């Protein structure tokens, strides 16, 4: 085991990292258009407490994911098993939230990442190998999930966006090994250690928004909304984001603007949580 972490302790440690990351993400503010402790963002059906309930309900499946990953060495088989755990996680989430989808995206990302991190640790590999294992597990996901869409009677929003714009969304990101979280997000988060924790998290979120192919934005909205969010985030960064008074004022206004337009960059929020998760993983995997 990497860094002398025992098999017995690993499910506890990694599931705690996962829960912490989700709670940190939903606790930062201002988070433009997103739920925070002081705002429901662009949502009328959920609030900060809904996310706490949801996070606690699904956290036990993160423990299970690590246990399963410790006992499965084949990446493709592990991915299949993790997706089955994902189905149970979503059921628990919907039960806790009375049918509200708070964290479907993060369930998907976190289970895959827990699998990849567990493989990395039990094989005695370095942190940089995590990206490779994510890619190995999900290398066929685009082909398999988007196969024969022209023959399906009812398409999901993700499938419609893939056919119309070629957007691969969350699937495309995992197929590449989660580079936005592992490269962009981690770099910004770690460079922000001189900021307060809240400022550090918001600053990272804004940077992620600039490059995230966030298909959650396009729920009944045109593709231009995605470009608007990316360009607005770039403007915030040009003003210093959370490092300057001007940048902080701009992000406050950005939050009000996104709420008025009903914009909620949930995909960016998911990648923010993954960034925080990986940052914590680095404390045990070098």
């Amino acid at each position: 085991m990497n860094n002398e972490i025992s098999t017995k302790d690993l499910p506890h440690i990694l599931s705690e990292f996962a829960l912490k990351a989700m709670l940190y993400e939903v606790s930062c503010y201002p988070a433009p258009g997103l739920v925070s402790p002081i705002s429901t963002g662009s949502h009328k059906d959920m609030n900060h407490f809904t996310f706490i309930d949801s996070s606690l309900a699904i956290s036990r499946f993160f423990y299970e994911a690590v246990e399963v990953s410790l006992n499965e060495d084949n990446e493709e088989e592990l991915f299949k098993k993790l997706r089955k755990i994902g189905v149970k996680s979503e059921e628990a989430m919907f039960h806790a939230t009375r049918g509200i989808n708070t964290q479907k995206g993060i369930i998907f990302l976190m289970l895959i990442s827990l699998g990849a991190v567990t493989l990395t640790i039990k094989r005695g590999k370095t942190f940089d190998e995590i990206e490779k294992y994510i890619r190995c597990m999900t290398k066929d996901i685009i082909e398999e999930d988007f196969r024969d869409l022209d023959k399906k009677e009812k398409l999901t929003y993700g499938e419609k966006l893939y056919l119309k714009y070629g957007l691969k969304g969350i699937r495309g990101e995992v197929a590449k090994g989660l580079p936005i979280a592992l490269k962009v997000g981690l770099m910004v988060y770690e460079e922000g250690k001189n900021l307060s924790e809240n400022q550090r998290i918001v600053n990272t979120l804004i940077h992620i928004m600039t490059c995230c192919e966030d298909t959650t934005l396009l729920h009944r909205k045109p593709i231009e909304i995605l470009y608007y969010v990316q360009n607005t985030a770039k403007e915030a960064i040009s003003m210093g984001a959370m490092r300057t008074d001007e940048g902080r004022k701009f992000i406050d206004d950005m939050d009000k603007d996104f709420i008025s337009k009903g914009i909620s960059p949930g995909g960016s929020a998911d990648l923010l949580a993954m960034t925080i998760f990986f940052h914590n993983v680095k404390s045990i995997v070098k």
Side-chain angles (χ1 to χ4, degrees):
M1 297 292 289
N2 200 332
N3 292 338
E4 300 182 351
I5 301 165
S6 72
T7 302
K8 176 175 65 71
D9 292 335
L10 199 59
H12 293 281
I13 294 168
L14 292 183
S15 59
E16 183 178 310
F17 285 168
L19 179 58
K20 179 180 179 179
M22 293 190 303
L23 294 177
Y24 268 42
E25 179 274 311
V26 77
S27 297
C28 74
Y29 62 90
L34 299 166
V35 172
S36 77
I38 62 171
S39 170
T40 60
S42 297
H43 302 274
K44 293 183 172 63
D45 60 348
M46 63 183 82
N47 57 35
H48 190 237
F49 295 104
T50 318
F51 273 85
I52 292 174
D53 291 343
S54 174
S55 298
L56 293 173
I58 64 180
S59 62
R60 68 181 183 272
F61 297 101
F62 298 152
Y63 187 100
E64 181 181 344
V66 179
E67 288 190 315
V68 167
S69 302
L70 284 168
N71 294 297
E72 177 57 70
D73 286 320
N74 181 280
E75 288 92 346
E76 292 177 49
E77 286 303 310
L78 175 57
F79 182 50
K80 292 176 185 176
K81 291 178 179 179
L82 292 173
R83 291 197 99 169
K84 289 180 181 177
I85 296 173
V87 173
K88 294 189 294 182
S89 301
E90 288 178 16
E91 289 172 354
M93 174 194 73
F94 283 125
H95 179 74
T97 63
R98 299 180 182 178
I100 299 167
N101 176 14
T102 48
Q103 292 165 307
K104 196 171 180 179
I106 197 65
I107 289 171
F108 177 74
L109 291 176
M110 192 64 78
L111 290 175
I112 292 170
S113 298
L114 285 165
V117 171
T118 304
L119 290 178
T120 300
I121 292 173
K122 76 175 184 177
R123 292 174 181 176
K125 303 297 183 180
T126 64
F127 183 86
D128 291 339
E129 295 290 301
I130 295 171
E131 185 176 352
K132 181 184 79 173
Y133 291 133
I134 293 172
R135 289 200 308 269
C136 287
M137 280 193 286
T138 61
K139 62 185 176 67
D140 299 321
I141 191 171
I142 302 298
E143 180 184 346
E144 291 183 2
D145 283 14
F146 291 144
R147 180 183 293 146
D148 299 326
L149 293 185
D150 56 327
K151 298 176 184 177
K152 288 185 69 173
E153 289 185 12
K154 190 174 181 180
L155 297 175
T156 66
Y157 280 101
E159 289 167 345
K160 290 176 182 176
L161 292 170
Y162 178 72
L163 286 177
K164 189 171 183 178
Y165 302 114
L167 294 177
K168 299 172 184 176
I170 196 172
R171 293 175 179 85
E173 188 61 18
V174 294
K176 291 184 289 187
L178 284 181
I180 293 178
L182 282 164
K183 298 283 188 346
V184 178
L186 261 184
M187 179 186 71
V188 176
Y189 186 76
E190 291 173 355
E191 286 177 351
K193 59 186 177 183
N194 61 320
L195 298 170
S196 71
E197 189 59 40
N198 181 66
Q199 290 176 337
R200 187 184 192 188
I201 297 171
V202 174
N203 205 55
T204 306
L205 172 64
I206 300 301
H207 279 77
I208 288 171
M209 283 183 189
T210 66
C211 52
C212 178
E213 193 177 90
D214 196 337
T215 54
T216 65
L217 290 166
L218 305 179
H219 189 77
R220 300 190 183 90
K221 292 189 181 296
I223 188 76
E224 287 74 24
I225 289 294
L226 173 60
Y227 306 140
Y228 178 75
V229 168
Q230 291 174 338
N231 290 330
T232 306
K234 288 174 185 175
E235 191 173 352
I237 291 168
S238 73
M239 295 180 182
M242 295 300 285
R243 293 183 177 277
T244 66
D245 290 340
E246 184 184 19
R248 288 190 289 272
K249 171 66 166 59
F250 186 88
I251 293 169
D252 271 326
D253 292 340
M254 191 175 164
D255 185 32
K256 296 182 182 76
D257 175 55
F258 281 17
I259 291 171
S260 71
K261 290 181 170 69
I263 297 172
S264 179
S268 295
D270 292 340
L271 290 171
L272 172 64
M274 296 316 307
T275 297
I276 297 167
F277 169 74
F278 288 128
H279 171 73
N280 284 291
V281 167
K282 285 184 80 173
S283 68
I284 61 170
V285 185
K286 305 303 179 185

